[in-house]
Amino acid sequence: MENTTGLRENKKLRTRRQLAATALELFLERGFDAVSVADVAAAAEVSKPTLFRYFPSKEDLVLDRFADHQDEAARIVRDRSAGRTPVGAVHAHFLAALAERNPITGLCDHPEVLAFQQLLYTTASLEKRLAHYTDREVELLAAALETESVPPLTARLAAIHLVAVRHELGRENWRRLAAGQSADEAHPAAVADADRAFAMLADGLDKALPIATA
């Protein structure tokens, strides 16, 4: 029974990935608004009802990959080392991701990543739907921040600020690359922006959030 269940889940995952890959290829080729759900279903050789079982909306065909990162900030905070504040932990992680040219930071000039980010940041319906994923990211981070000494509202406000800074830094890095800079050329400014942004947060949030203990 367990093997059968595992095979079924693997098949669903492969189908999900195939649908998302097919959709992204069409969106990048023709433009998001020029491609219908029916076009994606036909290209993937599935029915529209089947496609909607995997993806609630057309936008989710693009944005589903963000679901893998929704718990990242929460995990960083939960796993931070002793003596490190939540802001410090998220800051350090972001700097490391910049150094690695991680696409999630916006500082990745691989052609496929640039094409995806161009699609994301220039399509109004995608930006609007992205808020759904951002809300979940905030919810998970707030839960990680909340303790006996950190009430729910304080945790949520802190989470909103931390998530907003991560997203806006990523958007600014994409703007640099879209303007023609390479990731290497943009890296020093990206680091400076991150240092400045997280320092602004630390001035307020470090007084309200606890330092990790061993």
Side-chain angles (χ1 to χ4, degrees):
M1 178 64 74
E2 290 183 2
N3 287 340
T4 301
T5 301
L7 290 171
R8 188 182 302 116
E9 292 303 315
N10 287 337
K11 182 179 179 181
K12 288 182 179 179
L13 181 59
R14 287 196 301 271
T15 300
R16 188 181 190 85
R17 288 174 175 171
Q18 178 191 356
L19 289 170
T22 299
L24 184 58
E25 183 178 351
L26 290 174
F27 296 151
L28 292 176
E29 179 184 339
R30 305 181 196 173
F32 184 81
D33 294 328
V35 178
S36 67
V37 171
D39 293 332
V40 176
E45 299 182 339
V46 301
S47 66
K48 284 178 61 177
T50 295
L51 188 148
F52 280 124
R53 281 202 298 270
Y54 286 91
F55 298 96
S57 73
K58 177 182 170 184
E59 287 75 18
D60 289 319
L61 283 159
V62 176
L63 299 174
D64 184 66
R65 63 185 60 195
F66 282 93
D68 294 336
H69 297 280
Q70 285 178 307
D71 67 341
E72 185 174 70
R75 176 179 49 78
I76 293 166
V77 166
R78 285 194 304 268
D79 297 345
R80 71 189 188 277
S81 58
R84 174 157 279 179
T85 66
V87 175
V90 176
H91 183 188
H93 184 274
F94 194 85
L95 291 180
L98 284 175
E100 296 169 358
R101 306 298 189 262
N102 189 316
I104 203 69
T105 66
L107 195 70
C108 178
D109 51 15
H110 189 285
E112 291 183 2
V113 174
L114 287 176
F116 173 82
Q117 291 177 332
Q118 175 74 16
L119 179 71
L120 172 63
Y121 292 127
T122 60
T123 306
S125 62
L126 288 175
E127 289 238 70
K128 184 177 180 181
R129 181 61 176 167
L130 184 59
H132 167 77
Y133 293 85
T134 300
D135 287 346
R136 178 60 176 160
E137 187 177 359
V138 168
E139 179 184 339
L140 293 170
L141 178 54
L145 290 169
E146 186 179 340
T147 65
E148 291 184 1
S149 61
V150 180
L153 178 58
T154 299
R156 180 164 182 79
L157 290 173
I160 289 171
H161 282 82
L162 280 165
V163 169
V165 161
R166 277 164 46 99
H167 282 266
E168 191 53 41
L169 288 172
R171 189 188 302 267
E172 182 62 21
N173 290 334
W174 167 76
R175 291 190 186 105
R176 291 188 173 100
L177 302 191
Q181 286 188 303
S182 69
D184 288 345
E185 290 170 338
H187 182 254
V191 170
D193 280 351
D195 288 344
R196 187 179 306 110
F198 284 106
M200 291 169 63
L201 286 186
D203 284 343
L205 296 186
D206 282 353
K207 299 175 183 177
L209 302 173
I211 295 174
T213 57

